[in-house]
Amino acid sequence: MEQLLSQITWWHWLVLALILFGVEMVTGTFDLLMASIAAAATAAFAAFAPESATAWQVQCLVFAVASVALIVISRFVFPNMRRAEPEHPTLNKRMVQLVGQQGEVTRDLSSGHGQVKIGDTVWGAEAAEGQAPLVVGDRIVVEATRSNMAIVRKA
């Protein structure tokens, strides 16, 4: 085992850095990214340090210290890196996005149901509770949504 470890060179550390980076791309933990950077730093150390200072024990120590230091530093410097961004409340919820929008009645809501044009789209609509009948041309505001219907009141 000693003989195997004594043959570690800078390119072994570079290969380890690339492997850790590849696994990081799959997992997204950011810890492996720091370990990958530490392996790359160890590769640089092994390549440029004097041969008397590059024993395999020293290389492993450099890697261990650099990994721990980078992981600890990254957790304090980039604390929000691991936090998942919350989804926007109306993202991909088109009907919810209508709430508060203004539009115009295109088909009377005299029986409680009709159509309104909001932006460039015509939507099925219901008059809000207690709302007087709405006629073509009335300006409206979307108060809520139910299924695929906009609940509207006069603006």
Side-chain angles (χ1 to χ4, degrees):
M1 184 69 150
E2 177 79 26
Q3 185 179 11
L4 181 66
L5 291 174
S6 66
Q7 296 176 2
I8 293 177
T9 62
W10 65 270
W11 64 267
H12 291 99
W13 291 107
L14 192 58
V15 168
L16 178 63
L18 293 173
I19 289 169
L20 289 171
F21 185 74
V23 173
E24 172 62 37
M25 293 295 101
V26 174
T27 62
T29 63
F30 293 104
D31 290 333
L32 292 176
L33 177 62
M34 297 305 140
S36 174
I37 293 169
T42 305
F45 170 77
F48 298 115
E51 195 160 325
S52 60
T54 59
W56 71 268
Q57 296 94 336
V58 177
Q59 291 179 31
C60 289
L61 182 65
V62 168
F63 174 69
V65 169
S67 291
V68 170
L70 286 171
I71 290 169
V72 169
I73 288 170
S74 72
R75 289 184 181 223
F76 288 108
V77 174
F78 307 111
N80 296 330
M81 208 165 42
R82 298 169 187 278
R83 187 176 307 142
E85 291 294 319
E87 184 179 285
H88 192 277
T90 60
L91 181 66
N92 296 328
K93 299 176 183 168
R94 190 154 186 215
M95 290 304 293
V96 175
Q97 292 174 356
L98 290 179
V99 176
Q101 298 282 327
Q102 293 190 1
E104 183 177 321
V105 176
T106 58
R107 186 182 301 162
D108 290 345
L109 278 83
S110 54
S111 64
H113 294 357
Q115 289 183 337
V116 295
K117 184 173 184 177
I118 302 166
D120 62 350
T121 307
V122 177
W123 296 92
E126 296 178 12
E129 271 188 50
Q131 180 67 48
L134 298 168
V135 294
V136 174
D138 283 349
R139 298 290 300 160
I140 54 92
V141 174
V142 179
E143 199 171 81
T145 61
R146 183 178 323 119
S147 188
N148 246 7
M149 297 288 264
I151 314 295
V152 298
R153 64 175 167 77
K154 195 167 190 167

